[in-house]
Amino acid sequence: MDGNSLFLWMFIIFWLGLLILGILLVINYVNGGNEKKSQQILNTRLKNGAIDESENSRLKSISERNKKA
């Protein structure tokens, strides 16, 4: 294996990695990203009794404000 073929393989692996990263980012964006996770965490904490209704409402409003910004 000479230097040119090694460079070619590195080039292919680099672009393949970028392609996979791009696909994962698009899937994350389409699925709502971290917003769904934060809502799920708040709902779980509310069900477990870690927070009450007022705290849940306050945290959701903060999350929505951050989403708009």
Side-chain angles (χ1 to χ4, degrees):
M1 197 189 245
D2 62 350
N4 289 335
S5 62
L6 179 63
F7 177 75
L8 178 65
W9 279 109
M10 288 174 50
F11 185 78
I12 291 170
I13 290 171
F14 172 77
W15 285 108
L16 186 61
L18 280 181
L19 178 66
I20 291 170
L21 179 64
I23 290 170
L24 291 175
L25 288 174
V26 168
I27 289 171
N28 189 34
Y29 179 76
V30 168
N31 289 334
N34 292 333
E35 180 63 27
K36 288 185 178 180
K37 286 184 182 179
S38 65
Q39 296 297 330
Q40 290 172 346
I41 291 170
L42 285 175
N43 290 337
T44 303
R45 290 179 67 195
L46 180 64
K47 288 177 187 176
N48 292 338
I51 58 175
D52 58 1
E53 286 287 334
S54 61
E55 182 72 7
N56 188 41
S57 298
R58 185 181 75 80
L59 292 172
K60 280 187 180 181
S61 67
I62 291 171
S63 176
E64 289 172 5
R65 265 189 276 141
N66 289 338
K67 180 182 171 186
K68 292 178 184 178

